[in-house]
Amino acid sequence: MLDFGLILKIGAMGMITIILDKVLKSGGRDDYATIVNFAGIVIILMMVVTLVVKLFSSIQTLVNF
């Protein structure tokens, strides 16, 4: 079952990334804003990959009686 807390963490990470992006772009730091966006995407993808690994392992235990 999907953990509701993880969904909130992913949403919070997205919001933090958006806020940092807007602040950095308004300050004229477009290069740093791009790096922050990339880092946020990588962190969120790492969270999602752990979920996919758990999904595949549960499917494997279901198939391997």
Side-chain angles (χ1 to χ4, degrees), residues 3-58:
D3 186 20
F4 187 70
L6 187 62
I7 295 172
L8 291 176
K9 285 180 188 177
I10 291 172
M13 187 64 199
M15 284 189 243
I16 290 171
T17 304
I18 291 170
I19 291 169
L20 285 175
D21 176 61
K22 297 299 178 187
V23 168
L24 288 170
K25 281 188 178 180
S26 68
R29 304 284 186 175
D30 291 335
D31 48 346
Y32 291 129
T34 304
I35 293 172
V36 166
N37 282 331
F38 183 70
I41 290 170
V42 168
I43 291 170
I44 291 173
L45 282 177
M46 287 176 18
M47 290 179 189
V48 171
V49 165
T50 58
L51 286 176
V52 171
V53 168
K54 287 180 184 179
L55 174 68
F56 284 148
S57 67
S58 65

